[in-house]
Amino acid sequence: MLHPAALSGRTLVLMGAVCWSLNSPLVKYLTLDPFLICALRSLIAGLVLLPCVRPREIIWNRYLLGYVTAYCALCLSVIVSLSMTSAAIAVGMQYTATIWLFLLYWYRTRFFDRRVFLPVLVIMTGVLCFMLSGGSGDSHPLGNLIALTEGIFFAGMSLTSKEATHTNALGITALGNLFTALVVFGLFPSARAALPAMTGQDWGLMLLLGVVQVAGGYGFYNLGVQKIPARKASILALWEMILGPLWVTLFLHQYPGPMVLTGFAIILAGMLLNARKGAA
C-alpha cells in the first residue's frame, strides 16, 4: 500500500476534496439535529485518528490553539448558517478562503501580483454563480454574514495547520475534531438530547461521515498543506464543490441547474488558468 507520505501535496488535497464531497449524497438521508451531526461526526473522526497523535511531534503553541479554534469555528459557522440561509451560500462561502489568502499574501509581500489575482478572480466568480443558484428567498442577511466568516476560518485553519506541526498532521486533525465535539456537545443541549433517538441507519451514516468525510477529508487536507502553500491547497479544495453535485446526480438522480453548471465551468476555467500561470 502506498504510504501518504509518498504522495504529493496536490494529490493529498485532492483526496481530501473527494472525501468531503461524499457529504452531499449522504446527508440527504439524515434528518438528525444539525448540531448532533456536527458534534458526532467530529467525535468519530477524532477517535479514529486518536492513535495517530504523537505529542512530541506537535508544537504546543498559539498556532495549535489557532488551528483547533479555527476548525471548530468553521464547523459551527457552517451549521449555523445552514439553518439561516440557503445551502449553496452556507457551503460555498467557505471557499472564499482563496480570496482571503490572496489578500494576506498581498499584505505580507506589499506586491499585487496580477498573475496570482486573475485566477482567484475567475474562481470567485464561479463560486458566486454557484451560491446565487440557491440564494433565492431562503437566504437571510445574518445567515449570509455568518457564512462569510467561513472563508476566514478555513483560511486560518489552513495557515495554522503547518505551524502547529510538520510531521503529525493527522494528530492535529484528531485534536481539532475532539475539541469541536467537546465544544458542540457542551454548548448545544439539542445535540445530546437527540442521541437516544438515533436509528441503526443513522449510526451507519454517521460512521461513514465521521470516518470518510471528516477524518479522511481533513486528514488528507492537513497532510497536503504540509507540502504545498495554503493558497494552492484552497484552490484544489474547490473540487469538493464540483464532485458533490456530481455524486448527487449519479446516485440520487437530482440534477444541477444552469447557474450551478455555469459556476462549475467558471471554477474549472480558473483552476486551469491557475495551473498554467503557476500562480498558486
Side-chain angles (χ1 to χ4, degrees):
M1 181 180 293
L2 190 62
H3 195 276
L7 300 174
S8 69
R10 177 187 293 271
T11 301
L12 288 164
V13 172
L14 288 174
M15 289 171 66
V18 171
C19 291
W20 288 335
S21 68
L22 297 175
N23 179 67
S24 296
L26 289 177
V27 295
K28 298 286 185 179
Y29 296 100
L30 284 171
T31 57
L32 298 173
D33 178 86
F35 291 105
L36 173 59
I37 295 175
C38 177
L40 188 54
R41 68 184 181 183
S42 289
L43 178 60
I44 292 168
L47 293 175
V48 166
L49 294 176
L50 187 59
C52 298
V53 176
R54 299 188 295 272
R56 292 184 179 181
E57 296 180 22
I58 294 175
I59 305 171
W60 302 87
N61 58 11
R62 56 178 178 162
Y63 293 108
L64 178 62
L65 178 61
Y67 172 79
V68 298
T69 302
Y71 178 77
C72 180
L74 172 63
C75 294
L76 280 173
S77 61
V78 171
I79 291 298
V80 173
S81 61
L82 275 170
S83 67
M84 300 179 67
T85 191
S86 70
I89 292 175
V91 173
M93 274 293 191
Q94 64 183 306
Y95 294 109
T96 58
T98 301
I99 192 68
W100 294 114
L101 289 168
F102 170 78
L103 292 174
L104 180 61
Y105 165 81
W106 183 15
Y107 172 77
R108 285 179 171 177
T109 63
R110 306 295 183 182
F111 173 64
F112 185 86
D113 191 337
R114 285 177 293 181
R115 293 190 311 153
V116 174
F117 179 67
L118 182 57
V120 170
L121 180 62
V122 173
I123 288 169
M124 286 301 102
T125 302
V127 172
L128 182 61
C129 287
F130 176 82
M131 291 189 296
L132 290 175
S133 70
S136 52
D138 53 354
S139 63
H140 187 279
L142 180 58
N144 293 343
L145 182 62
I146 294 172
L148 183 62
T149 65
E150 295 170 17
I152 298 173
F153 296 137
F154 192 93
M157 180 196 77
S158 301
L159 289 170
T160 53
S161 172
K162 184 179 292 188
E163 301 296 335
T165 183
H166 298 293
T167 56
N168 196 204
L170 295 181
I172 65 167
T173 307
L175 294 178
N177 277 290
L178 291 174
F179 178 79
T180 299
L182 180 64
V183 169
V184 179
F185 273 130
L187 293 182
F188 299 95
S190 64
R192 303 191 301 271
L195 270 170
M198 288 181 62
T199 65
Q201 176 178 293
D202 291 335
W203 277 106
L205 290 171
M206 288 306 304
L207 284 170
L208 275 173
L209 287 173
V211 175
V212 179
Q213 190 241 341
V214 179
Y218 286 99
F220 283 129
Y221 182 80
N222 283 332
L223 285 168
V225 169
Q226 308 305 312
K227 297 185 175 186
I228 61 175
R231 285 185 294 117
K232 185 172 184 177
S234 70
I235 291 175
L236 292 171
L238 282 158
W239 277 102
E240 180 199 358
M241 292 185 68
I242 298 170
L243 293 173
L246 176 62
W247 306 142
V248 171
T249 299
L250 290 176
F251 298 114
L252 303 180
H253 306 293
Q254 298 176 8
Y255 303 98
M259 282 291 285
V260 173
L261 294 174
T262 300
F264 290 165
I266 296 173
I267 290 171
L268 285 171
M271 288 178 168
L272 179 61
L273 181 62
N274 180 74
R276 291 186 63 184
K277 295 288 186 181

